[in-house]
Amino acid sequence: MINSELSHLRGSPFDALRSLLDPLAPVPDIDPTILTIGEPQHKPPQLMIEALRANEHLYGKYPPVGGTAELRGAITGWLSRRYELPEGMIEADQNIAPVNGTKEALYMIASVITERAGHNQPKPVILLPTPYYHVYHAAAVMAGAEPIFLPAGQKSHFFPDLDALTPELLDRTSAFYLCNPSNPQGTVASADYLAETLALARKHDFMLIVDECYSEIYDKTPPTGILEICAKAGGALDHVLAFHSLSKRSSAAGLRSGFCVGKSDIIKTFLNLRNFAGAASPLPVCAAAAALWNDDTHVTENRSLYREKFDMAEEIFGSNFGFYRPEGGFFLWLDVGDGVEAAKRLWTKAAVRVLPGKFLSVPGPDGVNPGDPYIRVALVSPPEDSKEALTRLANSL
Ligand SMILES: Cc1ncc(COP(=O)(O)O)c(C=O)c1O
């Protein structure tokens, strides 16, 4: 009595990591450092705490599924500021769906935009990169689609090679998940690449779902957002949905707050589904989220902490292990030869926990998993703890 699609789910990379490392004891006398999960350990902004406290009398109320007008207004204001969008391109009450974390929203959206295959018809396709954020795959499977992994290797700046996509495949596609900046590799898609992907979505009638949750953590240049590409192409939001989160931007993973922006009919349908199957954010959370989207100062400060850590990493690794400064996001994607062996060694010899690249990617047709040589290192600890941990890590590789 269980949905047979569930048997196609792939295991969580963090379960795989626990199976790999939990049986091994870390070196004693060193406090373990966890650099696996993308959970920023920077102090959450005081303005968030204050907004939560000031609104705590509202915890007793059921919150509306679409959040508050104040929150939608703050999000729209931020989008317009950040991407210099023309007035009226994003309407707070039409184009924004606040969500309680983008993880579950990225999952749920696939079923909103994917038509189930009829009897004896081929399943629609959902395209996703590999390496990948594991939720995209589960979303595709549970929406009744066929997930197709697109290798995102170094040659194509760690984004899927669009030239490799055939018209037949694109015609069967209902959605294409793109993560920009890329996780785990930390590269940023060019405006041309985004424009080309959007043009394919419009030509072949699929939804381009752009996960921009790392967009505010960048080294030098703010990553181009898909909404900027839409603005340049006349401002329509057809065939596009973008997801943003406060988890990384504001070091507020526990607040569980983000949003989806898109065309009004899709947003309306999405919110309608969420009336049945989505937890609305509590009103104090909406107030805190509005305060965070209204403020850019804490984000600038947050970014400077990451830059400090990129500097440290550059000094420690130089050109070893294929090190490069991430253009966006906060992960190092290091080529250590054998990521699984390195993760075991780092845990047992240096008490540093990192994620083998293998757990984030799938083998290609040749049976080789392109993630095998890599480890992902999340630079999430505060700078003062990171130097020591990175030095320990480098010395044990
Ligand atoms: C690529 C990517 N997308 C989305 C998320 C989800 O973030 P949240 O649910 O905290 O908004 C994460 C979290 O680690 C992520 O790495």
Side-chain angles (χ1 to χ4, degrees):
M1 299 302 275
I2 284 189
N3 183 342
S4 60
E5 298 291 7
L6 283 161
S7 64
H8 301 299
L9 293 187
R10 298 178 58 80
S12 143
F14 297 107
D15 284 345
L17 185 72
R18 278 187 281 274
S19 303
L20 181 76
L21 297 187
D22 281 3
L24 307 173
V27 62
D29 307 325
I30 303 181
D31 276 343
T33 309
I34 309 300
L35 304 180
T36 49
I37 187 165
E39 180 192 72
Q41 301 299 309
H42 301 169
K43 217 165 156 246
Q46 188 56 25
L47 62 105
M48 173 183 103
I49 311 287
E50 282 162 14
L52 285 170
R53 285 206 186 115
N55 290 278
E56 60 191 9
H57 59 287
L58 296 173
Y59 276 114
K61 286 189 173 300
Y62 276 119
V65 74
T68 58
E70 182 202 20
L71 173 56
R72 291 190 300 273
I75 290 169
T76 308
W78 175 73
L79 283 172
S80 306
R81 253 185 353 265
R82 165 68 170 84
Y83 296 120
E84 298 181 10
L85 302 177
E87 175 118 18
M89 180 175 150
I90 307 295
E91 300 279 358
D93 292 336
Q94 301 289 320
N95 303 118
I96 305 292
V99 294
N100 54 340
T102 53
K103 177 182 179 181
E104 55 82 41
L106 283 161
Y107 170 84
M108 192 187 279
I109 197 67
S111 2
V112 174
I113 46 142
T114 306
E115 186 85 83
R116 301 251 162 199
H119 187 57
N120 282 340
Q121 277 184 331
K123 284 181 172 185
V125 159
I126 292 191
L127 303 174
L128 61 156
T130 173
Y132 69 110
Y133 179 49
H134 54 287
V135 172
Y136 309 152
H137 179 266
V141 167
M142 297 311 289
E146 180 187 349
I148 295 203
F149 285 103
L150 306 176
Q154 204 158 13
K155 260 203 263 160
S156 50
H157 202 48
F158 291 119
F159 285 97
D161 175 6
L162 301 179
D163 293 338
L165 306 174
T166 62
E168 294 73 29
L169 177 66
L170 292 168
D171 282 340
R172 268 183 68 203
T173 298
S174 73
F176 182 166
Y177 281 93
L178 195 67
C179 186
N180 182 38
S182 59
N183 167 12
Q185 311 95 324
T187 51
V188 167
S190 69
D192 285 349
Y193 182 91
L194 293 173
E196 200 182 326
T197 320
L198 177 61
L200 288 176
R202 289 184 171 165
K203 180 168 177 203
H204 295 275
D205 195 21
F206 62 82
M207 187 62 70
L208 177 60
I209 300 174
V210 193
D211 179 356
E212 298 185 335
C213 76
Y214 292 98
S215 67
E216 301 318 287
I217 314 296
Y218 54 82
D219 188 22
K220 297 197 171 64
T221 316
T224 303
I226 194 67
L227 293 182
E228 285 172 278
I229 304 299
C230 294
K232 275 196 199 119
L237 296 175
D238 301 73
H239 297 89
V240 173
L241 289 164
F243 286 78
H244 281 271
S245 172
L246 290 171
S247 300
K248 328 288 176 185
R249 173 186 183 268
S250 302
S251 306
L255 190 69
R256 308 308 301 132
S257 189
F259 68 87
C260 166
V261 50
K263 210 177 161 190
S264 59
D265 55 349
I266 301 282
I267 294 296
K268 199 167 154 201
T269 311
F270 186 35
L271 287 175
N272 187 35
L273 177 64
R274 296 180 69 75
N275 265 321
F276 311 106
S281 296
L283 289 169
V285 169
C286 291
L292 292 172
W293 290 115
N294 279 334
D295 181 74
D296 297 328
T297 308
H298 75 279
V299 188
T300 309
E301 287 163 6
N302 203 17
R303 230 176 351 254
S304 69
L305 296 179
Y306 286 107
R307 288 197 185 116
E308 224 181 290
K309 291 186 270 183
F310 299 156
D311 290 344
M312 278 175 199
E314 192 161 31
E315 200 181 303
I316 292 168
F317 293 107
S319 56
N320 293 328
F321 310 112
F323 172 84
Y324 55 92
R325 275 177 90 96
E327 296 169 309
F330 47 55
F331 297 111
L332 305 183
W333 186 235
L334 299 177
D335 183 345
V336 292
D338 182 337
V340 166
E341 278 312 308
K344 289 193 330 202
R345 197 163 58 247
L346 290 171
W347 184 234
T348 52
K349 303 259 179 294
V352 177
R353 217 159 157 115
V354 299
L355 195 61
K358 176 185 182 150
F359 297 166
L360 296 167
S361 340
V362 294
D366 55 358
V368 176
N369 186 325
D372 276 348
Y374 293 94
I375 53 170
R376 188 185 82 169
V377 181
L379 290 183
V380 286
S381 309
E384 56 276 20
D385 302 335
S386 296
K387 187 160 194 174
E388 206 259 325
L390 287 177
T391 309
R392 248 169 38 225
L393 187 154
N395 290 342
S396 304
L397 274 175

